[in-house]
Amino acid sequence: MVRIAVLVSGGGTNLQALIDAQNRGEFKDGTIAAVISSSPDAFALERAKRAGIPGYVINRRDYASNQELTLVLTRQLRELDIGLVVLAGFMYILTSELIDAYPNAIINVHPALIPSFCGEGFYGLHVHEAALSYGVKVTGATVHFVSEDCDGGPIILQRAVPIQEGDTPEVLQCRVMEQAEWRILPEAVSLFCQSRLRVEGRIVHISPA
Ligand code: GAR
């Protein structure tokens, strides 16, 4: 059984999609064992509480750097015997200590089709603002393994979403979440827990069920 930790910073709608998938029995070989928030006020902690999942706060404000935060976080994940780390709207860039401790066992969801609109500075609504101002007609979401290259790790799943005339960043964000993120993140977690993902260089091979 893979013990999963979900790292959050805000509303936690992707966390909710994971909780819903778990409740539907989609994680046969995994269980959400912890929700860790970078902020004590994140609504995601309330979602964890309602689902009976232990919530923890590692407040970015208590640490001088992302590296200090990462060291404390890595220790906590080890203590909780975590086998898969899911970044679900986690807003800080984690340093190499965590990536070395969890090779190809950290998954991130990004609200665009990587390699477009990604990397440092591209998070949350900014991603959708960038897609709209560039004028692309299709965007989407990507779930990928986390490497030291920000948003540059091997891609597990992607799903495209059309842009419509008159879209605002907020409207587009909702469509990308509903049509892409909330579907492919639970699917990737389920595949990981079934040991169906094999990484070869940049390529993630998905084996049949
Ligand atoms: C999601 O759209 C997620 O893809 C994005 O933040 C939002 C969090 O929403 N993540 C990034 O931009 C990471 N670069 P949520 O808290 O409701 O899941």
Side-chain angles (χ1 to χ4, degrees), residues 97-112:
E97 294 80 5
L98 180 69
I99 293 150
D100 293 345
Y102 284 91
N104 291 330
I106 310 169
I107 287 177
N108 180 47
V109 59
H110 182 76

Side-chain angles (χ1 to χ4, degrees), residues 10-15 88-91 108-111 122-124 127 151 173 177 181:
T13 65
N14 278 287
L15 167 66
F90 189 76
M91 290 306 166
N108 180 47
V109 59
H110 182 76
F122 286 94
Y123 60 90
V127 179
D151 291 334
Q173 180 180 50
M177 283 176 158
E181 295 184 53

Side-chain angles (χ1 to χ4, degrees), residues 113 116-117 127-128 130-140 161-164 167 172:
L113 293 174
S116 290
F117 312 116
V127 179
H128 304 292
L132 287 174
S133 58
Y134 197 92
V136 293
K137 301 298 186 195
V138 175
T139 184
V161 174
I163 286 176
Q164 292 173 11
D167 271 351
L172 183 57

Side-chain angles (χ1 to χ4, degrees), residues 123-160:
Y123 60 90
L125 270 183
H126 299 301
V127 179
H128 304 292
E129 283 161 8
L132 287 174
S133 58
Y134 197 92
V136 293
K137 301 298 186 195
V138 175
T139 184
T142 302
V143 177
H144 64 93
F145 282 117
V146 173
S147 69
E148 291 210 28
D149 180 13
C150 177
D151 291 334
I155 291 170
I156 303 168
L157 294 171
Q158 291 186 299
R159 194 172 172 112

Side-chain angles (χ1 to χ4, degrees), residues 16-168:
Q16 191 64 54
L18 293 168
I19 292 169
D20 293 346
Q22 172 160 278
N23 290 341
R24 289 193 300 269
E26 289 173 23
F27 302 157
K28 289 184 194 63
D29 310 288
T31 183
I32 306 173
V35 170
I36 303 179
S37 174
S38 62
S39 150
D41 306 320
F43 185 66
L45 286 171
E46 180 61 30
R47 295 180 192 274
K49 195 172 153 193
R50 287 180 195 171
I53 300 165
Y56 304 85
V57 177
I58 297 187
N59 195 339
R60 176 63 181 85
R61 290 185 184 179
D62 294 341
Y63 304 98
S65 63
N66 283 356
Q67 187 182 31
E68 271 190 35
L69 172 102
T70 304
L71 289 170
V72 172
L73 179 63
T74 306
R75 201 178 317 130
Q76 173 109 46
L77 292 167
R78 287 289 193 217
E79 276 168 19
L80 292 168
D81 195 24
I82 296 301
L84 171 65
V85 182
V86 179
L87 309 185
F90 189 76
M91 290 306 166
Y92 296 99
I93 295 175
L94 298 164
T95 54
S96 60
E97 294 80 5
L98 180 69
I99 293 150
D100 293 345
Y102 284 91
N104 291 330
I106 310 169
I107 287 177
N108 180 47
V109 59
H110 182 76
L113 293 174
I114 289 174
S116 290
F117 312 116
C118 63
E120 260 186 90
F122 286 94
Y123 60 90
L125 270 183
H126 299 301
V127 179
H128 304 292
E129 283 161 8
L132 287 174
S133 58
Y134 197 92
V136 293
K137 301 298 186 195
V138 175
T139 184
T142 302
V143 177
H144 64 93
F145 282 117
V146 173
S147 69
E148 291 210 28
D149 180 13
C150 177
D151 291 334
I155 291 170
I156 303 168
L157 294 171
Q158 291 186 299
R159 194 172 172 112
V161 174
I163 286 176
Q164 292 173 11
E165 193 63 41
D167 271 351
T168 62

